[in-house]
Amino acid sequence: MNPLVAVAGALVAATALPYLAYLALYALVSPSGSPADKREAEPTVSIVLPTYNESGIIEQKLDDIVSLDYPMEKVELVVVDSSDDETPDRIEEFFADREHPDLNLIREQERRGLAPALNDAYAAADNEMVVKTDCDSYVADDALREAAANLADPDVAAVTGQNAEVLGGSEVEAGYRGVQAHIQTLESHLDSTLIFHGPFSAFENDAIVPVDPNSLADDTELALKIRRSGDRVLFDPAVRYKEASHSDFSKRRLQKDRRGMGLIRLLAQHRDALGRYGNYGKLVLPFNWWFMVVSPWLVALDVLAVTAAGIAVAGVAGLAVPAALVGFVWIGQKDLLGPLQALYAVFDSQVSLLHAAVELLRGKGDGTWEVDEELREAFE
C-alpha cells in the first residue's frame, strides 16, 4: 500500500473515532428531553436584554417579551444599552403607558463590550430567575414556564434551549442546530451541557457570578462557572426560540467565527476542569475539546493528506479530491444536500473553529459586536 494512502486513512480514522464513540454512547443512553425533575413553578423573573443600535427591531422584541405566557407583574426587564441611535428612547416610549413589566434601563456612557454590560445587568437584576435574551431573536410563549420548571429542581441552577426555527431559512444552521441539540441532550443526561445560547438562557439569581470582561462566550462562561460551583446546567429542547442565520459560506464566517473564538478561549481558560466535576469533566468537556480544538486541525490535515494520497495514486486526477470538496461546500451553502445537509453543517462548524483558532493565535478578538444588517432583515 502506498504510504501516503496509509497515512491518510489513519488520519481520517483518528478524526472519526471520537465521533463514532459518542454516537455509540448516545445509542446506549437514548436521552430524551430534560433530565431535570421538572415541576410547575412561577418565580419572579428578571429578563436581561443587551442592546446596541436596535432601533429598527426593538419594538418587535419588546412585543415578544410582553406577550410571553407569564404574569408580567412578576417580571422586570433590565436593558443595558450602549446605542448611539434612538434605541433607548424607543424603549422608554414603549413602556411609558405600561404598568408591567417593570423597566430598568441602564444607559452606558461608553461602549465597553458585551460581557461588562451583562455583568452590570446581572448585578441590577432583583428577581429569583434571571433570563438573558438577544434582541434579534423570538422566544416561545411558554419559554419562561419551561425554564422555571427546570430550575425548580434543586440540583439545577441554569437551563438553555434550542433554536426551534432558523429565521431566514438557513438549512445549514438548521442542520447544525439539530446535531447540536442531540449532543446537548446527551450531555445533560450524562451530567451538564457546556454551550449556553444567547437568545435564551435562564439562571438562578443566587448562582450568578461575574464573567471575564473580555469574554466572547459570556452565556457559556457563566454556565460553566455555575457547574464548577456544584450545580447542574442543562439543555432542555422544550425551551424554544427563533434566531436568524446565513447559509452562504462567507457570510457564516462573520456570524460563527466570533462564537468559535469565545468557546475555544473559554475551554483553554478552564482546562483545569478536565477530569473533574463528575461526567462533566470526564466526558462532556473532553468531547468539546475534541470537537472545538483538536478535530478542526485534523480535518484540515485530512484534506491535505487525502489530496496528497490521491495525487500519489492517480497523478493529476487526484486533484478531484479538493475539487469534490469545493463542490460539496458550494452545494451545501445552497441548501441542496438533502439528508447530507447536517454533515455539511458539521464540516462548516469545523471551518469556523479552525479559523477562530488561527485568529486567536494572531491575538485577535475583543468583546464588542457588530450589527449584521442582513440578519436583522431576516428577524424583521
Side-chain angles (χ1 to χ4, degrees), residues 19-32 182-183 186 190:
Y19 296 108
L20 295 175
Y22 227 60
L23 283 173
L25 185 58
Y26 187 91
L28 180 65
V29 177
S30 297
S32 178
H182 283 86
I183 292 172
L186 174 59
L190 291 173

Side-chain angles (χ1 to χ4, degrees), residues 208-282:
I208 292 176
V209 294
V211 298
D212 180 351
N214 296 313
S215 178
L216 299 178
D218 43 88
D219 306 297
T220 296
E221 179 179 338
L222 178 52
L224 192 158
K225 287 183 172 181
I226 290 172
R227 178 62 191 90
R228 295 193 68 157
S229 73
D231 293 308
R232 295 180 71 185
V233 296
L234 303 181
F235 169 84
D236 184 358
V239 177
R240 298 163 296 128
Y241 61 84
K242 300 177 184 179
E243 183 185 28
S245 186
H246 296 295
S247 277
D248 181 85
F249 186 81
S250 59
K251 292 177 182 177
R252 283 181 66 77
R253 303 288 69 80
L254 175 65
Q255 183 185 20
K256 303 289 286 188
D257 292 2
R258 182 181 180 276
R259 296 179 186 177
M261 292 171 69
L263 292 169
I264 293 170
R265 179 190 290 174
L266 184 65
L267 285 172
Q269 289 172 335
H270 289 267
R271 57 190 177 276
D272 63 312
L274 286 167
R276 303 167 63 190
Y277 311 107
N279 284 332
Y280 187 68
K282 295 174 182 176

Side-chain angles (χ1 to χ4, degrees), residues 187-202:
E187 291 175 343
S188 295
H189 281 261
L190 291 173
D191 186 301
S192 294
T193 194
L194 173 68
I195 296 176
F196 265 52
H197 304 289
F200 192 97
S201 293

Side-chain angles (χ1 to χ4, degrees), residues 81-119:
D81 180 80
S82 58
S83 301
D84 53 23
D85 68 357
E86 299 174 349
T87 298
D89 297 329
R90 296 194 177 184
I91 293 171
E92 290 182 328
E93 290 171 7
F94 185 92
F95 284 97
D97 299 320
R98 293 178 183 271
E99 184 177 1
H100 301 294
D102 295 332
L103 172 65
N104 182 357
L105 176 59
I106 302 170
R107 296 194 187 216
E108 292 195 298
Q109 298 304 309
E110 60 178 341
R111 193 174 182 217
R112 300 171 296 156
L114 183 56
L118 286 173
N119 281 335

Side-chain angles (χ1 to χ4, degrees), residues 33-159:
S34 169
D37 180 15
K38 295 172 69 172
R39 59 193 81 169
E40 288 188 15
E42 205 171 79
T44 57
V45 179
S46 295
I47 298 177
V48 168
L49 181 67
T51 56
Y52 171 67
N53 290 356
E54 318 284 1
S55 59
I57 63 172
I58 188 61
E59 292 180 11
Q60 292 165 259
K61 181 60 181 183
L62 297 177
D63 277 329
D64 182 54
I65 289 173
V66 300
S67 299
L68 294 172
D69 177 23
Y70 208 82
M72 286 295 117
E73 63 271 16
K74 289 192 170 187
V75 177
E76 70 165 347
L77 178 63
V78 181
V79 179
V80 56
D81 180 80
S82 58
S83 301
D84 53 23
D85 68 357
E86 299 174 349
T87 298
D89 297 329
R90 296 194 177 184
I91 293 171
E92 290 182 328
E93 290 171 7
F94 185 92
F95 284 97
D97 299 320
R98 293 178 183 271
E99 184 177 1
H100 301 294
D102 295 332
L103 172 65
N104 182 357
L105 176 59
I106 302 170
R107 296 194 187 216
E108 292 195 298
Q109 298 304 309
E110 60 178 341
R111 193 174 182 217
R112 300 171 296 156
L114 183 56
L118 286 173
N119 281 335
D120 287 351
Y122 289 144
D126 289 329
N127 290 337
E128 298 162 288
M129 182 172 82
V130 179
V131 171
K132 186 262 180 178
T133 187
D134 291 335
C135 249
D136 56 350
S137 62
Y138 291 112
V139 176
D141 291 345
D142 62 352
L144 292 182
R145 294 195 179 277
E146 292 290 347
N150 279 276
L151 297 185
D153 184 331
D155 293 331
V156 178
V159 63

